[in-house]
Amino acid sequence: MTALTRDDYPLSINRPDLLHTPTGKPITALTMDAVVSGELSAEDLRISSETLLLQAEIADASGRPQLAGNFRRAAEMTAIPDAEVLAMYNALRPRASTGEALAELADRLETTYSAPVCAALVREAAEVYGRRDLLARPTGDDD
Amino acid sequence: MTTPTAAPPQRTVTLREVGPARRGTRPDEVVVAVSPAFAGHFSKTIVDVPHAEVLRQLLAGIEEQGVTARVVRIRDTADLAALAHVAARLSGSGISVGVLSRGTTIIHQRDLPRLSNLELFPQSPLLDAPVFRMIGSNAAQYAKGESPQPVPTRNDQMARPRWQAKAALLHLKEFECIEAGQGPLEVEPVFGSSAAG
Amino acid sequence: MSGRAPGGLVVGVDIGNSTTEACLGLVDPDGQVTYLGTALTRTTGVKGTPDNTDGALTAIRDALARAGRDSAEVRTVLLNEATPVISGLAMETITETIITESTMIGHNPTTPGGEGLGVGTTCSVGDLAEQPPGQPVVCVVPPGWDFDDTAAAVNAAVAAGVDVVAAVLAGDDAVLVTNRLTRPVPVVDEVAAVEKVPLGMLAAVEVAGPGRTIRTLSNSYGLATVFGLDPAQTRQVSPVARALTGNRSAVVVRTPSGDVTDRRIPVGELVLHGAGKTLRVDVDAGAEAIMDAVGRAQPLEDARGEPGTHVGGMLAQVRDTMADVMDSPGLPAVPVAEIAIRDVLAVDTFVPAEVRGGLAGEVALENAVALAAMVSTSRSRMQVVADRVSEGLGAAAAIGGVEGEMAVSGALTTPGVDRPVAVLDLGGGSTDAALLTRDGRATAVHVAGAGELVTKLVHSELALGDREVAESVKRCPLAQVESFFHVRHEDGTVQFFETPLPPEVYARVVVLTPEGPAPVGTRHRLDHVRRVRREAKRRVFVVNALRALRQVAPGGNLRELDFVVLLGGSALDFEIPDMIADALAPHGIVCGTGNVLGTEGPRNAVATGLVRAHAAAAVPAAREPVP
Amino acid sequence: MTSTAPRQSSAARVSRRTEVLEARPVNLDGFVEEWPEKGLVAMESDFDPTPSVRVEDGRIVELDGKERADFDFMDTFIANHAIDVASAERCTAIPSVEIARLLIDPRATRDDVLAVTRGLTPAKVLDVVKLMNVVEIMQGMQKMRARRTPANQAHSTSARDNPIQVAADAAEGALRGFAELETTLGVVRYAPLVAIALQVGGQVGRGGVLTQCALEEATELELGMRGITAYAETISVYGTESVFIDGDDTPWSKAFLASAYASRGIKMRFTSGTGSEVQMGNAEGKSMLYLEIRCILMAKGAGVQGLQNGSISCIGVPGAVPGGLRAVAAENLVASMVDLECASGNDQSFSHSSMRRTARAIPQLFPGTDFVCSGYSAVPNPDNMFAGSNFDTEDYDDWNTIQRDFQVDGGLRHVREAEILQARNKAARVLQALFRHLDLPAITDDEVEAATYAHSSNDYPLRDVLADLKGAQAVMDRGITGLDLVRGLEAAGFHDVAENLLMVLRQRVSGDLLQTSAILTPDFVPLSAINDPNDYAGPGTGYRLEGERWEELKKLRHVTSATNPETEVG
């Protein structure tokens, strides 16, 4: 398949054939009849990692590499449960985690969730936090 | 029935240095911590409430509750929560009131995390003498282990255009008066009267 | 019920006032039941109306999902025959305290100044300098006077020979002023309407020491001595003395016609029909008189209140609400005349109210009567619900039994229970009782008043101003936060915490909710809050338990009952079951919280009973299969 | 209004004219002198760094006079993620005046400019915009705005958190033209009911309106994930390391959060603004605009599609210093010239003077931005739980008139009374039916009637707050999602509203709204910088207010008919 271009946007109108829910339903299955009959669950209204990668292609084609990178991290994150996503975010707050904890987080992203791009962001953070005194101190802070 | 004279005398205050502040032992005391520039570089709050009146009303609120008070000047920080937390740890009851030159005030307790508080009054332009009295009174009630109703906080949407920049300026000026490495100083407020109008 | 193939999945569904419960069972051809699971969800709409369908379907699907079964396997769904019960609450304040011509300031400022009694003529602080020396003067200080200025003015007058014996202040300055006086005197402060204190009149100010109460002004003869009253005048001022009892400070000003009255407010009649009689009772006669009349009109057929009163409005509204919920498209409307008030519960309570004519926001505890009423109708829409459930699920659905009977049947699955057994279902709006006799006959009643009335009593007696707080005071035990790291529970035990408690609970009386301690916005101490809470529960649940059980007990004799099983949401309360058990113990009754199927606690009794009844009916010979 | 009386004049005698001037509202505003050493200066400071960049081995090793070893985390993040390394040295070497000219040269396309700006350092960007006066800044904005078609955003809140009010005002706001609606709460626990009301009311007013509810991160994200809201924007970033840390975040934590939103299909933008650092006392001696440029580049580096800036809640600070509003206009331009969606402020109470309020909005309204206001108060300001906006419902007719006077599109339009009443009434009825269906606390016919004709929260019957809060909790406990809302709306017989909401929810599956500057048209076509790119190339090009839309904006409440001057058209 050739890479998508700006002309494919919006996918919901120009390329609905490419869009699927995480449950494998085509986007065209998201109809009122399906809602009323109870065929659809909330899971059917989430974005899939494939779709995020398609949007990343479009972002690249529009000259927005950072936005594309964000979509690629997001594609990796679709597999992570909501609560854990928030926990990971909290772990990245200043002085919330030790260097080891961040290294473990990066490993977990890579091995459990196959999320190398996210893992790289966490490793970079760990390096900068170490240099800028933003890692958690081993003992509780008294002040 | 007569009313008080139209122009009350302008009260003044000087903070006489007593010595390094020590940890109190009386369980019935509240420590009032003032910022580096309070009643020194500055003499009034952002809305021109004299610092003499701020201190007098805070102390009166505490005294009315039958609680004693000590005043300390914090010199090495102008961060409200930080200076109040230092004072709380000096306080025999563990309760302190912190006040910045521009009027922003906090009630703190020594076991709380530094950035937390019992009551916070962030909108300095809305604090006047009666509010300072109530803050002192509440601090004293906490010291007695009572459960005061929190002082009602006010809000004013138009405080932003009028006061936001001046507050920032006063904040910066107060920071200029920080003396790094200087510990808290016990002071004795000496009130006077300039017998105005 | 005949002609149905035995065996298959059976779901019992109990639609209650607030929750809908399901019980899933597999019934063998021989009538043996295997219980596969239960479910609980919110009731949708008012119980007994077609809106219940959604909640019923949710509960059924939940139960099936938990057991890993499919709706296609369901042979039949059984609903309880439940008549809609709607309850209402109202409160009437029946006394008020009025002060005429400002004679008394009996409020209790938290921090008065000085100590002792001072008697003199009232005089404004601004006029002190002009007072003749030697005459005793009570100094009155209006708002705006600074404490330093006040003290200076008094000290100057005293130095000039004016005999200042006491002071009355507008602001919260009593201690401050007293501390600055060269000659301390009793000082009462926070008198907001100080300008109404008449000047040039003889007045007495009394302040007691910390932890003590005044002795002279709260004593009629003390007042007589202070003001030189004759016996007739003394009789007249005795309400003043009474009103000041228990205060730490007080001011009494003698004016020519000043008075304090404690008056009853007529709040209309309650008209009760029943037992072939029509009884009228004044609501302000109090709960005892009302309940006495209700007792004489049993069984109650209807009740009406006087239009324009809270009680009248409440009774009319309960009736109208019932008419509205019974109104469903395609079915004949239910005439309002057919909707009758079937029970009334009256409870004496008190309401803290500001005294009319007071000068300092004085508060008096006024008497009030709280009333709960309940309306039920013989018409139910449960068949409509059954039809819709059947349609929605694709399985048969029918009415499987009457609520009370099913509840008893379900309660019988509690280990250690046998017939004759009575159940008490402690709900939100009504308390229900049902009895199953040794020979299998069942009777059931609903009485007005349950959890919601308790909340209302707690709310008004503690003047909480927030019903949600009242609700949690009712539900959860109390504690006093003594530091950031420990609380003292209401039973006196201390609990320590590793991490500091949140600042908003510091030094406060708190309720220990499942989400953590939440502050109770009150000046009352823990003991008082606890007493109010327990008293409210006693006056509603204990009273109603006895009332309801007497109505189902053979001959009204509680001794005829052996087992009482408590069911429903309030049976999960941390103290109500014990309070009821204590009240029933003298009658030789075994009382406890149900444990349906040995696993469900006080939940799911009706749903379980429906499945049991179905199984029993499938095999007429089988008697009460044991689970 | 203000807690204190107007300034006291001195005892000396003043002229009558001075008395009149003293009484003018503008003199209730606060003004201060600059103090550049402390960062209390808009954009012209000797203490800002000099532009420089050096690349070694594909890595930026020097940025604006600092070696990599001395980078704070903002420098590091910007050097690692925001600046295009390949072109950095070349672009930064271009004389600033050339780049400034490029910004206003009609022959240079937006893409031509982006080819240069992607390689600029923060100090270089500052150096460029410092050369531009406010008219040039507006010219630059006209070309650099990402989406060709300008739009506007509203606040819809209630002082009593009354969901019926929020629904009715959302419907009216959507009908008047707002593309996005934002709400927040007084009592946070009310959020689920108010967010539902905003979503439903919005879809009644105009299908495809996007909604958000500003809350702490976890709840905001949860409402988004459930499809009760459609986007988020209150994710704040700051220009100095110390203030960023005070906000308990870092560029990496925020970048992670940005991806978290995208991973759930939710549109998101960051928030920043001049003045926040000096307000918090840690400007590190840098000008407000320099620090804001660091925020903008940080947002760019995080890969977020857009930014809400224009000082926002700190507007009182730049508003009080000389040239402050030029800096505010410049920060909007910088967001646009690094290719971010810009929701350009004008969303907080700014001045006592109506003249200043209006002037403050001109640099955004006249050239047009992606969202001219990032919160025009679609409720009276006393009901505005964002602490008041620069414009509110009382300014609707003025705004419409200014659009007509200058032939500019500020995203709104005049709507006839009958249509508004109909929309408000319908929104309230739909919410009534939906609450009934979901077994949430009842909405009475009196409340529907009140909503139809109300102005502020005072015009509504009081709600049973306790019952509402229990209902709100039930929404969370029962796991109600956007899908349940669709189902409920359909069951209640409001097929059109159900369909509108379903179409909005479908967009989460397609991800089209995640692209830069995306909004939804009434036909549910995603309109973004990709399919509606700004093609301004001088006079006669780019977005022009013409045709049907211009005819629409010609209408006002009172316009005398040319055909029959005894009547009014409209």
Side-chain angles (χ1 to χ4, degrees):
Chain A
M1 196 174 75
T2 56
L4 296 178
T5 70
R6 313 171 64 125
D7 294 339
D8 293 300
Y9 183 91
L11 296 179
S12 56
I13 289 172
N14 293 339
R15 300 300 303 272
D17 54 306
L18 297 178
L19 298 175
H20 290 82
T21 69
T23 52
K25 296 191 175 96
I27 193 170
T28 47
L30 305 178
T31 63
M32 188 59 75
D33 286 345
V35 172
V36 171
S37 69
E39 283 167 37
L40 296 184
S41 72
E43 194 60 22
D44 293 309
L45 287 174
R46 294 180 85 134
I47 195 164
S48 69
S49 61
E50 293 77 15
T51 305
L52 280 160
L53 294 175
L54 296 176
Q55 293 291 359
E57 282 180 30
I58 293 175
D60 270 330
S62 317
R64 301 192 173 98
Q66 290 95 343
L67 184 61
N70 183 26
F71 292 161
R72 295 202 169 92
R73 286 196 301 269
E76 293 180 347
M77 277 188 207
T78 53
I80 311 176
D82 297 346
E84 193 172 353
V85 168
L86 275 172
M88 289 174 170
Y89 163 58
N90 284 325
L92 281 168
R93 291 183 188 268
R95 300 193 183 108
S97 305
T98 60
E100 295 78 57
L102 289 178
E104 280 167 31
L105 173 57
D107 289 347
R108 179 169 169 74
L109 281 164
E110 210 157 44
T111 53
T112 308
Y113 293 113
S114 313
V117 191
C118 290
L121 186 79
V122 172
R123 291 202 178 101
E124 180 191 339
E127 187 269 314
V128 178
Y129 290 8
R131 190 161 50 80
R132 303 299 298 173
D133 189 23
L134 293 173
L135 292 170
R137 288 148 189 176
T139 53
D141 56 336
D142 188 46
D143 221 342
Chain B
M1 201 173 267
T2 53
T3 50
T5 44
Q10 190 75 39
R11 289 189 171 87
T12 59
V13 67
T14 48
L15 298 180
R16 196 176 62 76
E17 297 185 5
V18 175
R22 293 175 205 288
R23 184 171 293 220
T25 50
R26 299 182 58 152
D28 65 338
E29 75 168 3
V30 169
V31 172
V32 176
V34 300
S35 60
F38 189 94
H41 187 86
F42 288 117
S43 65
K44 55 194 184 182
T45 71
I46 191 168
V47 286
D48 298 345
V49 179
H51 285 167
E53 202 54 26
V54 172
L55 208 47
R56 220 173 135 265
Q57 295 295 343
L58 285 174
L59 295 176
I62 295 166
E63 181 186 342
E64 176 66 22
Q65 291 297 324
V67 170
T68 62
R70 283 192 296 146
V71 183
V72 300
R73 182 190 297 289
I74 306 295
R75 295 179 289 179
D76 62 350
T77 178
D79 178 280
L80 181 62
L83 67 85
H85 197 240
V86 168
R89 296 200 293 180
L90 292 172
S91 166
S93 69
I95 299 292
S96 71
V97 175
V99 55
L100 298 181
S101 297
R102 67 177 185 275
T104 320
T105 303
I106 193 172
I107 305 177
H108 219 314
Q109 204 274 358
R110 69 169 161 237
D111 293 331
L112 279 171
R114 188 167 50 86
L115 291 177
S116 185
N117 62 74
L118 286 174
E119 294 185 47
L120 174 66
F121 309 90
Q123 287 249 41
S124 56
L126 302 175
L127 303 187
D128 55 14
V131 174
F132 286 114
R133 173 75 77 92
M134 286 189 276
I135 293 170
S137 172
N138 270 19
Q141 290 179 61
Y142 286 116
K144 290 194 285 182
E146 291 175 3
S147 180
Q149 294 299 312
V151 176
T153 49
R154 288 185 273 177
N155 206 350
D156 174 12
Q157 297 195 336
M158 296 314 279
R160 181 195 347 260
R162 178 147 189 191
W163 302 113
Q164 192 173 32
K166 187 175 176 190
L169 185 56
L170 294 174
H171 185 61
L172 294 171
K173 280 284 175 200
E174 181 117 277
F175 267 64
E176 293 271 283
C177 298
I178 291 174
E179 298 170 73
Q182 296 292 316
L185 202 61
E186 178 134 2
V187 294
E188 185 193 340
V190 181
F191 294 101
S193 163
S194 71
Chain C
M1 304 289 272
S2 61
R4 193 171 288 158
L9 291 186
V10 174
V11 193
V13 179
D14 169 27
I15 295 165
N17 282 317
S18 53
T19 56
T20 295
E21 297 171 340
C23 174
L24 175 66
L26 178 67
V27 179
D28 290 347
D30 64 355
Q32 287 294 320
V33 185
T34 312
Y35 293 97
L36 300 176
T38 63
L40 181 147
T41 183
R42 281 165 53 87
T43 295
T44 46
V46 173
K47 166 181 166 181
T49 61
D51 288 348
N52 299 158
T53 312
D54 287 344
L57 284 170
T58 305
I60 296 166
R61 290 192 175 120
D62 277 6
L64 285 167
R66 285 187 198 181
R69 298 301 189 118
D70 193 84
S71 60
E73 298 175 64
V74 175
R75 190 182 69 201
T76 186
V77 173
L78 301 157
L79 301 178
N80 58 318
E81 176 56 272
T83 52
V85 173
I86 290 175
S87 56
L89 295 173
M91 196 175 287
E92 296 280 12
T93 306
I94 57 175
T95 60
E96 76 178 327
T97 306
I98 304 169
I99 301 174
T100 53
E101 214 185 292
S102 317
T103 58
M104 172 199 81
I105 300 159
H107 85 125
N108 241 345
T110 50
T111 52
E115 237 179 274
L117 177 71
V119 183
T121 308
T122 51
C123 163
S124 174
V125 64
D127 302 332
L128 271 186
E130 291 102 66
Q131 296 304 303
Q135 303 277 346
V137 167
V138 172
C139 171
V140 179
V141 183
W145 272 74
D146 186 88
F147 54 91
D148 271 329
D149 298 340
T150 302
V154 172
N155 285 338
V158 168
V162 179
D163 186 16
V164 179
V165 296
V168 180
L169 315 180
D172 183 13
D173 292 340
V175 174
L176 291 163
V177 170
T178 312
N179 286 351
R180 284 160 181 72
L181 293 182
T182 46
R183 198 183 76 184
V185 295
V187 180
V188 169
D189 64 356
E190 293 186 76
V191 178
V194 78
E195 71 281 359
K196 288 195 197 152
V197 173
L199 297 178
M201 297 285 173
L202 189 60
V205 176
E206 184 177 8
V207 174
R212 294 172 181 275
T213 57
I214 52 168
R215 286 282 172 261
T216 307
L217 299 185
S218 59
N219 170 0
S220 298
Y221 304 118
L223 282 172
T225 312
V226 165
F227 293 114
L229 305 178
D230 61 30
Q233 289 168 318
T234 305
R235 189 188 306 278
Q236 214 180 4
V237 300
S238 72
V240 174
R242 252 203 334 274
L244 295 175
T245 304
N247 278 359
R248 193 185 149 197
S249 66
V251 180
V252 176
V253 187
R254 176 112 204 274
T255 56
S257 57
D259 197 6
V260 176
T261 52
D262 182 5
R263 135 184 128 87
R264 275 196 120 55
I265 312 165
V267 288
E269 279 184 336
L270 192 61
V271 183
L272 304 160
H273 305 278
K277 296 175 270 205
T278 297
L279 299 176
R280 294 170 178 277
V281 57
D282 286 329
V283 173
D284 57 298
E288 199 176 326
I290 296 169
M291 291 317 287
D292 185 52
V294 170
R296 283 186 288 129
Q298 284 297 333
L300 190 65
E301 283 155 21
D302 199 6
R304 282 174 196 277
E306 204 157 292
T309 66
H310 290 135
V311 172
M314 181 268 283
L315 293 177
Q317 204 201 333
V318 170
R319 228 182 281 275
D320 289 349
T321 309
M322 179 62 91
D324 286 350
V325 303
M326 293 307 290
D327 200 14
S328 62
L331 294 169
V334 178
V336 174
E338 242 183 66
I339 295 169
I341 306 288
R342 288 305 166 84
D343 189 46
V344 170
L345 173 69
V347 176
D348 282 329
T349 178
F350 53 82
V351 182
E354 197 164 304
V355 173
R356 194 131 65 90
L359 298 186
E362 295 99 317
V363 169
L365 285 180
E366 305 293 359
N367 296 306
V369 175
L371 278 167
M374 187 203 69
V375 51
S376 62
T377 148
S378 53
R379 300 204 195 184
S380 134
R381 303 291 195 218
M382 211 47 99
Q383 190 57 48
V384 180
V385 180
D387 294 345
R388 293 192 185 174
V389 165
S390 174
E391 193 182 312
L393 199 69
I399 309 283
V402 178
E403 186 171 34
E405 297 172 22
M406 295 303 108
V408 199
S409 170
L412 272 175
T413 65
T414 295
V417 171
D418 198 3
R419 293 194 288 196
V421 59
V423 299
L424 272 175
D425 187 339
L426 311 171
S430 68
T431 303
D432 307 337
L435 174 75
L436 186 68
T437 59
R438 214 174 296 276
D439 54 6
R441 278 181 301 108
T443 45
V445 297
H446 303 282
V447 300
E452 286 162 19
L453 180 58
V454 174
T455 306
K456 189 171 183 99
L457 293 173
V458 169
H459 183 217
S460 63
E461 294 190 3
L462 293 174
L464 291 174
D466 182 344
R467 248 177 62 209
E468 196 180 4
V469 174
E471 180 83 21
S472 53
V473 167
K474 179 184 77 176
R475 283 179 191 281
C476 309
L478 297 162
Q480 172 74 45
V481 177
E482 298 196 333
S483 82
F484 276 110
F485 296 98
H486 81 285
V487 303
R488 187 173 297 277
H489 289 280
E490 60 175 78
D491 65 358
T493 56
V494 170
Q495 182 186 358
F496 290 90
F497 297 89
E498 288 283 306
T499 49
L501 293 161
E504 66 271 15
V505 304
Y506 181 72
R508 291 177 203 280
V509 174
V510 294
V511 277
L512 299 167
T513 71
E515 295 81 43
V520 180
T522 174
R523 290 199 80 97
H524 294 298
R525 302 188 60 83
L526 181 147
D527 290 349
H528 179 78
V529 178
R530 178 171 187 268
R531 197 159 52 242
V532 166
R533 179 196 74 211
R534 288 182 61 87
E535 203 35 37
K537 287 176 176 175
R538 194 194 60 76
R539 283 178 289 168
V540 176
F541 279 114
V542 175
V543 166
N544 264 353
L546 295 171
R547 243 162 38 95
L549 289 175
R550 281 203 177 95
Q551 289 182 36
V552 295
N557 184 359
L558 294 179
R559 291 210 162 263
E560 296 288 315
L561 304 172
D562 287 331
F563 295 98
V564 170
V565 177
L566 304 179
L567 302 173
S570 297
L572 292 165
D573 187 272
F574 66 99
E575 60 189 350
I576 292 172
D578 293 347
M579 294 168 83
I580 294 176
D582 285 350
L584 294 179
H587 303 278
I589 295 171
V590 178
C591 171
T593 303
N595 191 12
V596 174
L597 294 173
T599 56
E600 301 296 308
R603 296 280 192 197
N604 214 268
V606 173
T608 302
L610 284 163
V611 175
R612 278 165 57 88
H614 180 81
V619 184
R623 292 181 62 89
E624 292 297 331
V626 177
Chain D
M1 295 276 277
T2 314
S3 58
T4 36
R7 276 151 220 201
Q8 297 294 317
S9 44
S10 61
R13 183 174 175 184
V14 297
S15 72
R16 279 283 297 125
R17 179 153 308 148
T18 297
E19 278 176 23
V20 168
L21 288 172
E22 279 287 355
R24 295 283 289 182
V26 73
N27 284 313
L28 285 171
D29 290 352
F31 303 99
V32 299
E33 255 188 323
E34 291 157 301
W35 190 6
E37 291 85 344
K38 291 288 165 184
L40 192 60
V41 59
M43 59 192 286
E44 311 265 1
S45 168
D46 294 341
F47 302 92
D48 283 335
T50 312
S52 78
V53 72
R54 201 171 80 249
V55 175
E56 281 173 15
D57 303 330
R59 225 159 90 102
I60 291 175
V61 295
E62 180 198 321
L63 186 71
D64 295 339
K66 244 193 248 177
E67 292 297 319
R68 188 169 260 272
D70 304 324
F71 283 4
D72 64 14
F73 72 29
M74 291 300 285
D75 299 319
T76 309
F77 193 87
I78 289 167
N80 289 4
H81 298 280
I83 300 173
D84 177 46
V85 177
S87 60
E89 288 182 332
R90 178 174 51 80
C91 293
T92 302
I94 302 172
S96 296
V97 68
E98 290 300 321
I99 303 173
R101 282 179 187 157
L102 207 58
L103 276 163
I104 62 167
D105 180 355
R107 284 161 301 189
T109 66
R110 182 169 188 272
D111 282 346
D112 294 338
V113 179
L114 293 181
V116 173
T117 56
R118 68 168 48 107
L120 300 183
T121 68
K124 183 69 177 181
V125 172
L126 177 67
D127 208 44
V128 170
V129 292
K130 262 162 64 172
L131 293 167
M132 303 171 77
N133 67 25
V134 70
V135 176
E136 289 154 354
I137 288 169
M138 288 163 68
Q139 276 182 273
M141 178 55 93
Q142 172 163 260
K143 178 164 76 187
M144 296 313 296
R145 174 182 76 242
R147 191 191 329 102
R148 186 176 192 268
T149 315
N152 208 339
Q153 183 203 96
H155 290 159
S156 186
T157 58
S158 162
R160 296 207 169 99
D161 298 320
N162 184 333
I164 302 117
Q165 180 188 10
V166 170
D169 282 326
E172 178 176 341
L175 190 62
R176 285 178 178 273
F178 294 107
E180 288 185 347
L181 303 171
E182 177 185 21
T183 194
T184 194
L185 288 304
V187 176
V188 173
R189 286 178 302 155
Y190 244 115
L193 294 190
V194 170
I196 289 173
L198 182 76
Q199 177 68 280
V200 168
Q203 301 312 320
V204 168
R206 188 274 259 179
V209 162
L210 305 181
T211 66
Q212 71 143 330
C213 182
L215 295 166
E216 49 82 30
E217 286 108 353
T219 318
E220 182 161 346
L221 189 55
E222 178 166 7
L223 288 175
M225 290 191 285
R226 288 189 186 201
I228 292 175
T229 54
Y231 76 101
E233 79 177 353
T234 41
I235 291 93
S236 300
V237 298
Y238 303 97
T240 63
E241 188 176 280
S242 49
V243 174
F244 220 125
I245 293 169
D246 280 349
D248 203 19
D249 267 301
T250 73
W252 286 268
S253 67
K254 287 295 192 195
F256 191 89
L257 189 62
S259 306
Y261 274 96
S263 75
R264 268 57 183 170
I266 304 163
K267 171 177 176 168
M268 195 263 249
R269 69 175 74 93
F270 282 170
T271 291
S272 62
T274 44
S276 60
E277 298 84 6
V278 67
Q279 163 88 8
M280 297 200 208
N282 272 312
E284 297 174 1
K286 304 296 186 291
S287 72
M288 300 181 206
L289 185 58
Y290 170 72
L291 295 179
E292 175 56 19
I293 291 169
R294 301 220 304 174
C295 292
I296 296 166
L297 289 179
M298 186 263 134
K300 168 90 179 164
V304 69
Q305 63 85 29
L307 183 69
Q308 165 182 238
N309 76 354
S311 193
I312 313 301
S313 57
C314 293
I315 188 67
V317 180
V321 298
L325 293 182
R326 176 177 160 237
V328 172
E331 69 181 276
N332 294 144
L333 170 62
V334 174
S336 293
M337 72 190 240
V338 302
D339 200 20
L340 294 174
E341 173 194 61
C342 176
S344 57
N346 288 305
D347 61 347
Q348 294 276 311
S349 54
F350 160 70
S351 173
H352 294 82
S353 153
S354 286
M355 211 185 278
R356 272 191 98 209
R357 289 197 297 125
T358 311
R360 186 249 169 280
I362 286 174
Q364 295 78 40
L365 175 60
F366 284 6
T369 68
D370 290 316
F371 297 92
V372 177
C373 301
S374 48
Y376 182 120
S377 188
V379 289
N381 259 341
D383 270 317
N384 189 309
M385 300 314 281
F386 292 99
S389 174
N390 192 34
F391 299 100
D392 78 352
T393 45
E394 293 179 18
D395 301 314
Y396 274 147
D397 288 352
D398 296 72
W399 184 279
N400 290 334
T401 307
I402 291 169
Q403 291 185 133
R404 184 181 186 268
D405 290 338
F406 292 93
Q407 201 166 349
V408 293
D409 193 339
L412 301 189
R413 63 182 179 126
H414 175 67
V415 185
R416 296 159 89 159
E417 175 77 354
E419 270 181 83
I420 287 175
L421 293 182
Q422 197 184 10
R424 295 184 65 93
N425 179 269
K426 183 173 172 186
R429 279 188 295 117
V430 171
L431 196 68
Q432 182 185 41
L434 183 64
F435 273 27
R436 194 187 168 93
H437 180 85
L438 295 173
D439 202 31
L440 295 172
I443 295 170
T444 64
D445 290 343
D446 287 349
E447 289 178 281
V448 172
E449 179 77 2
T452 310
Y453 296 100
H455 175 56
S456 79
S457 55
N458 295 328
D459 302 329
Y460 293 77
L462 293 179
R463 302 263 314 153
D464 179 344
V465 174
L466 177 59
D468 274 354
L469 290 176
K470 282 189 175 163
Q473 189 57 45
V475 169
M476 300 313 278
D477 294 345
R478 288 153 63 196
I480 288 175
T481 66
L483 207 52
D484 295 312
L485 305 185
V486 173
R487 217 174 269 135
L489 292 167
E490 181 74 14
F494 292 100
H495 177 74
D496 53 338
V497 187
E499 194 67 50
N500 286 352
L501 180 53
L502 180 59
M503 291 301 284
V504 171
L505 291 175
R506 270 179 60 148
Q507 285 304 324
R508 281 156 24 113
V509 176
S510 77
D512 285 336
L513 294 180
L514 302 178
Q515 297 286 358
T516 305
S517 301
I519 53 175
L520 270 182
T521 70
D523 305 323
F524 300 96
V525 178
L527 201 65
S528 77
I530 297 175
N531 62 342
D532 187 33
N534 188 356
D535 56 359
Y536 178 80
T541 67
Y543 182 84
R544 296 280 148 176
L545 181 50
E546 58 199 10
E548 218 176 296
R549 174 70 177 154
W550 175 224
E551 291 308 313
E552 198 172 48
L553 294 204
K554 286 179 182 173
K555 297 200 171 70
L556 293 177
R557 192 175 296 278
H558 300 291
V559 175
T560 303
S561 164
T563 322
N564 179 2
E566 291 182 345
T567 63
E568 286 182 347
V569 294

